[in-house]
Amino acid sequence: MISYIIPTLWKSPNIFKLIKGFESIDDPNAELIIINNDIKAVNYKPTDKRIRVFQMDENQFVNPSWQLGFDYSTQGKIAIVNDDIIFNIKRFHEFVIASDAKAICMTNHNRIDNDDNEWALVSNDSPNARPAGGGQLMMVNKENWPTLPYNMKLWHGDDVIYYYNTLVKN
């Protein structure tokens, strides 16, 4: 159902918490795609067959990594995830599956680090109301994924995804 894409340089220990949380998801169709951008970093070998690690020869940076992850993905929904955030990925997975949302953007404002709070879809009637930090955790339907330009290495890939889905697709 959902392909999670995480580019990483393995600098944050939170990625291991995220991987452990992913392993608790009961959905056999969920997949976690890790784009390893550090050739000298951890040589992580997953034990869960739903986790695939793609080793890069050099740092591809975040936006090209998201695009590579999209290219490797096999599911109908794409979630881009920063490797340093802490959130309940199993709860997020269940929330996405239960909702009929075409896209979801969660930020610190949504208190993703405080999983005791109620989560609810909030309609964003204005494409100009893009929440700051929304690129740390974003889900879109695969059919609504815009191709990210390879030369846009570091910034604004999440903006392209967000505005494509609010200005162009709606």
Side-chain angles (χ1 to χ4, degrees):
M1 298 292 278
I2 305 173
S3 297
Y4 295 91
I5 302 168
I6 304 175
T8 189
L9 290 168
W10 303 98
K11 302 290 185 194
S12 173
N14 292 341
I15 189 171
F16 297 104
K17 295 174 188 172
L18 187 60
I19 292 168
K20 185 173 177 64
F22 176 83
E23 290 172 341
S24 73
I25 294 173
D26 297 325
D27 183 353
N29 295 317
E31 71 178 341
L32 176 58
I33 298 168
I34 299 172
I35 306 296
N36 185 357
N37 280 313
D38 188 345
I39 60 173
K40 298 177 185 174
V42 174
N43 188 11
Y44 174 75
K45 300 213 184 310
T47 57
D48 187 319
K49 65 179 179 143
R50 300 172 302 161
I51 301 173
R52 297 186 294 155
V53 179
F54 295 91
Q55 177 63 55
M56 301 295 106
D57 292 332
E58 62 184 12
N59 186 356
Q60 297 298 305
F61 298 92
V62 68
N63 295 326
S65 295
W66 284 339
Q67 187 62 48
L68 284 168
F70 171 83
D71 294 340
Y72 295 134
S73 69
T74 63
Q75 300 304 309
K77 296 183 182 294
I78 305 295
I80 57 172
V81 185
N82 282 7
D83 66 352
D84 60 349
I85 64 172
I86 299 172
F87 74 108
N88 185 331
I89 191 170
K90 182 175 183 178
R91 183 175 178 203
F92 178 79
H93 188 85
E94 292 166 354
F95 180 74
V96 169
I97 299 302
S99 78
D100 61 353
K102 295 178 185 174
I104 295 175
C105 176
M106 295 182 80
T107 68
N108 284 336
H109 176 72
N110 297 89
R111 301 180 60 81
I112 60 177
D113 58 335
N114 187 346
D115 289 318
D116 293 334
N117 289 349
E118 178 183 352
W119 290 5
L121 290 177
V122 177
S123 178
N124 184 357
D125 295 333
S126 170
N128 297 319
R130 185 196 187 288
Q136 66 183 342
L137 177 56
M138 185 181 292
M139 182 284 303
V140 298
N141 288 336
K142 190 170 188 175
E143 65 204 29
N144 294 338
W145 178 271
T147 300
L148 298 176
Y150 183 77
N151 62 349
M152 187 171 53
K153 301 282 189 186
L154 198 54
W155 304 107
H156 306 297
D158 55 330
D159 293 325
V160 170
I161 297 166
Y162 180 84
Y163 288 117
Y164 183 82
N165 280 275
T166 57
L167 294 175
V168 178
K169 282 293 180 190
N170 290 335

